[in-house]
Amino acid sequence: MSALDSTGLREHSHPELEELRRRTSYTAGLGVLDGEEILYVDRARSFRREQTEAALDPQPGSRLPVHCTAIGKLLLAYLPEHEQRELIAQLTLTSTPQHDHRQAGLRDELERIRRDGLAVNDQELAPQLRTLAAPVRDQTGAVLAAVNLSIPGASTPVAELVDTLGPQLLAAAERISANLGYRGDDE
């Protein structure tokens, strides 16, 4: 964590996470890839009752499997192809009632994530928990982290969550990226 603090990632992202939480009322988080896991760097917790009662409440420093989290899948999607293949080959993929995790299916999903710029976790890690994630880029344009929203409950269709929350999440990721020196594709 001290290495991450020294990069300024938390410093540049925390105000945006707080603003994203305020705008959406959901928990906003930031994570990085660390081997076969994601490492939560920062979180701005929701004050929603269902969010505070969630069985899964990772804190900064918490680690979760890469293949069944929106942050992890997004970061996998943006790895160079050879690194992505090597990492996927190392994973122990476990399926859930909601999602069939196989290498071919995961690769297809990663292609879609890279195309759309947004990752979704639909109850893959925990029942009644959905998450969305968007890429955070450094000054060179490389994806170094992902910002996410944790959405408890499964009553709202995923497509509706993507339509309503996706633009706010992408905007927050863009602001964090700009704070880190990224100036967009036009540079």
Side-chain angles (χ1 to χ4, degrees), residues 2 5 12 17 35 46 50 54 61 64 66 76-77 85 101 108 116 124 126 133 142 144 148 155 157 173 177:
S2 62
D5 283 339
H12 291 297
L17 294 179
S46 170
E50 66 269 19
L64 294 173
V66 71
L76 266 175
R85 257 184 284 126
H101 290 118
D108 291 344
D116 298 344
E124 296 165 53
L144 76 126
N148 81 334
S155 59
S177 297

Side-chain angles (χ1 to χ4, degrees), residues 1 3 5 7 19 32 36 38 57-58 64 73 77 115-116 173:
M1 290 303 287
D5 283 339
T7 66
E19 179 65 15
V32 296
E36 297 177 22
I38 63 157
D57 186 23
L64 294 173
K73 291 188 290 185
R115 183 187 67 240
D116 298 344

Side-chain angles (χ1 to χ4, degrees), residues 63-85:
R63 295 172 177 278
L64 294 173
V66 71
H67 72 282
C68 59
T69 59
I71 288 176
K73 291 188 290 185
L74 187 126
L75 295 172
L76 266 175
Y78 284 95
L79 282 177
E81 190 175 330
H82 70 280
E83 288 181 39
Q84 184 187 92
R85 257 184 284 126

Side-chain angles (χ1 to χ4, degrees), residues 2 10 15-17 32 36 65 67 93 99 101 119-120 122 136 138-139 142 144 146 163 168-169 183 186:
S2 62
R10 291 175 81 183
E16 298 301 337
L17 294 179
V32 296
E36 297 177 22
H67 72 282
L93 301 176
H99 198 77
H101 290 118
V120 175
D122 184 10
V136 172
D138 66 13
Q139 68 277 4
L144 76 126
D163 288 345
Q168 294 179 71
L169 181 62
R183 298 293 171 240
D186 50 303

Side-chain angles (χ1 to χ4, degrees), residues 4 7-9 30-33 41 74-75 78 135-146 176-177 180 182:
L4 291 171
T7 66
L9 185 57
L30 184 79
V32 296
L33 188 62
V41 176
L74 187 126
L75 295 172
Y78 284 95
V136 172
R137 298 174 184 277
D138 66 13
Q139 68 277 4
T140 69
V143 174
L144 76 126
I176 294 169
S177 297
L180 294 168
Y182 179 63

